[in-house]
Amino acid sequence: MRAPRALKAPRAPQAPRALRTALSLTSLVAGLALLLGAPPSHAADLPLRDLAAAEGKVIGTAVTGSKLTGTYGEIAAGEFNALTPGNAMKWGSVEPTRGSFNWAEADQIVNFAEANGQEVRGHTLVWHSQNPSWLTNGTWTTAELRQLMTDHIATEVGRYKGRLATWDVVNEPFNEDGTYRQTLWYNGLGADYIAEALTAARAADPSAKLYINDYNVEGVNAKSTALYNLVRDLKARGVPIDGVGLQAHLILGQVPSTLQQNIQRFADLGLDVAVTELDIRMNLPSDSAKLAQQATEYRQVVSACVAVARCVGVTVWGFTDSDSWIPSTFPGQGAATPYDENFAPKPAYGAIAEALGGTSTPPTGACTATYSVVNQWNSGFTGQVRIACDGASLSSWKATWAYGAGQRITQSWNATCTQSGTAVGCVNASYNGTVPDGGSVTFGFNASWSGGNPVPTVTLG
């Protein structure tokens, strides 16, 4: 991971792009100063938002409006180019009493985003949860319920017309087996409540992108296939639908292997795809090995999005553990976000930067690669490289060297090795990219030689 850079003040509304450039330069200068001075520093890089913009992607975070000040506000403004209100736009927040609206926090987040050159993802209009009691406990005819839903959409979307880039119009409509969730909306209006909600949202703001959002749909499974079939049919019917949101509330070690394939199949329908609520939780306490594995998995998710043109971006569900929903919902689990509770970036932050085309280089000498010959015979030998870290960790690695006496690698294990002329490059296998602080991994190979077998110098990247 990279060491924390100097935090940047929120940009002024009159010139966010110019100020962002200046702030990037300030970050670079601060990073160089750190490199020339104290040792616990990594090469400074561009903010995540600039890396994402260079890839044509969004990197967003869910936020709490009351916290958008101080360090929290500085990171939210400086690192992300999109914000999602964590709770402020849900029905129970904006209309706790029928006909009485509270827009204070939602307005605060939208105003903050506009002042800092960020887009906003509206979340969420029609959901089975966090609805006001007057709505859930009411007795409604089908016509009344439909009118309540469409009026709510018209009011909320209309309030922010032209100011929000995206809306999660319908949230979590499916059960795990791909059947429709039994909710106030499904039970009262039938499955077509989804089409009706999308149509109402389009009427309220023709410029906003409209999404259906759900969890446990990141890989190819029964639930994601139900979502796929739904959005395919909606498009065929001419219902306004622009994209699907894959929430990605993931557990350490359980990133679906079919994630990129799944993103691609939705994109192939002509839809945008967004990873909308990414966090990767672990059993507490965290340690360097878990954090390194978490970094690998954050990289996997962001890289899968970067690899698909119509994946528009990734939003983390809170950027700091101090603002994460995980500990209160899953006791004994947490450490799910890219920053710890003290706003220090974890290895996951560096992994996100790498996936967006940035760099995350450990301090010089903190991780080393040692080459040795463990067995040798007339025409060949067995070699081994040990990668060890002390004062840093790795979530992936590549070892390179040049042979000086015509040696040729014929077989490798625990790494994928390629050789072109004298140049050799070996990258980690899928299972051993993580090297925790204080830990090590080894890989081996067989090779041929003749005349001499000098030990090369290995460079770790």
Side-chain angles (χ1 to χ4, degrees):
M1 63 171 263
R2 298 177 298 168
R5 289 173 281 100
L7 293 172
K8 299 169 287 300
R11 281 161 285 266
Q14 63 270 26
R17 174 55 59 185
L19 188 50
R20 187 185 318 169
T21 301
L23 290 169
S24 296
L25 292 173
T26 300
S27 296
L28 180 59
V29 172
L32 290 171
L34 285 170
L35 285 172
L36 295 171
S41 174
H42 301 174
D45 210 342
L46 292 174
L48 296 180
R49 60 182 290 164
D50 289 356
L51 295 172
E55 294 286 339
K57 305 292 183 182
V58 167
I59 183 72
T61 182
V63 293
T64 301
S66 61
K67 298 181 179 180
L68 286 171
T69 186
T71 302
Y72 182 98
E74 290 166 358
I75 295 174
E79 294 289 346
F80 302 97
N81 57 10
L83 300 181
T84 300
N87 290 297
M89 290 187 176
K90 292 170 181 174
W91 200 325
S93 297
V94 299
E95 195 181 4
T97 303
R98 187 176 184 182
S100 178
F101 295 91
N102 180 0
W103 303 106
E105 186 185 2
D107 285 352
Q108 180 184 22
I109 293 169
V110 173
N111 292 338
F112 181 93
E114 290 176 340
N116 289 285
Q118 299 165 300
E119 64 181 57
V120 178
R121 182 180 196 91
H123 179 82
T124 179
L125 296 170
V126 180
W127 190 25
H128 66 272
S129 185
Q130 290 184 248
N131 290 315
S133 58
W134 67 262
L135 177 63
T136 56
N137 295 335
T139 301
W140 315 106
T141 66
T142 298
E144 288 171 336
L145 188 61
R146 178 176 291 111
Q147 193 68 50
L148 285 168
M149 182 184 75
T150 56
D151 284 351
H152 171 73
I153 292 170
T155 299
E156 183 159 9
V157 177
R159 179 178 183 81
Y160 299 106
K161 180 179 180 180
R163 301 177 70 189
L164 267 61
T166 310
W167 278 101
D168 290 327
V169 178
V170 175
N171 202 43
E172 301 174 3
F174 289 108
N175 295 314
E176 297 304 303
D177 62 0
T179 58
Y180 282 102
R181 185 190 294 271
Q182 303 293 305
T183 69
L184 171 71
W185 309 111
Y186 179 81
N187 294 339
L189 302 176
D192 228 28
Y193 82 89
I194 297 171
E196 293 174 12
L198 289 162
T199 300
R202 175 68 86 231
D205 187 350
S207 67
K209 297 284 189 178
L210 309 181
Y211 277 65
I212 300 173
N213 190 53
D214 214 327
Y215 66 92
N216 287 352
V217 292
E218 296 76 32
V220 177
N221 56 36
K223 192 174 187 180
S224 66
T225 297
L227 178 59
Y228 177 90
N229 291 335
L230 169 64
V231 295
R232 180 194 59 194
D233 294 346
L234 290 171
K235 279 186 65 70
R237 292 167 53 192
V239 174
I241 175 71
D242 299 302
V244 294
L246 315 180
Q247 290 185 14
H249 293 297
L250 302 174
I251 302 170
L252 194 68
Q254 297 185 24
V255 176
S257 61
T258 53
L259 173 61
Q260 184 174 326
Q261 173 190 345
N262 193 43
I263 293 172
Q264 187 65 60
R265 71 166 174 164
F266 282 106
D268 289 342
L269 291 176
L271 291 168
D272 291 340
V273 183
V275 178
T276 55
E277 303 182 23
L278 174 62
D279 49 30
I280 303 177
R281 65 185 184 267
M282 63 185 69
N283 290 328
L284 297 174
S286 65
D287 57 35
S288 58
K290 292 176 186 176
L291 293 174
Q293 181 180 354
Q294 181 188 58
T296 296
E297 295 177 5
Y298 263 96
R299 180 187 294 102
Q300 290 173 351
V301 175
V302 178
S303 295
C305 180
V306 170
V308 179
R310 291 206 67 154
C311 185
V312 298
V314 175
T315 292
V316 295
W317 202 246
F319 63 86
T320 170
D321 291 341
S322 65
D323 196 37
S324 173
W325 69 298
I326 295 296
S328 62
T329 306
F330 300 97
Q333 298 183 49
T337 75
Y339 286 77
D340 69 17
E341 292 183 350
N342 297 314
F343 303 112
K346 303 180 198 171
Y349 174 92
I352 295 170
E354 286 180 340
L356 293 172
T359 59
S360 179
T361 307
T364 301
C367 295
T368 59
T370 305
Y371 181 109
S372 60
V373 175
V374 297
N375 190 24
Q376 184 170 304
W377 55 97
N378 289 340
S379 60
F381 67 96
T382 298
Q384 177 178 282
V385 174
R386 179 177 182 267
I387 298 171
C389 291
D390 183 10
S393 62
L394 294 173
S395 52
S396 64
W397 47 261
K398 181 178 183 180
T400 59
W401 65 88
Y403 278 128
Q407 301 99 317
R408 299 289 307 180
I409 289 182
T410 57
Q411 179 187 18
S412 62
W413 50 92
N414 296 334
T416 300
C417 294
T418 58
Q419 183 171 353
S420 176
T422 62
V424 177
C426 297
V427 297
N428 61 273
S430 61
Y431 52 83
N432 67 350
T434 297
V435 185
D437 187 1
S440 66
V441 299
T442 60
F443 67 90
F445 51 89
N446 288 328
S448 62
W449 69 285
S450 60
N453 189 21
V455 173
T457 299
V458 180
T459 300
L460 189 60

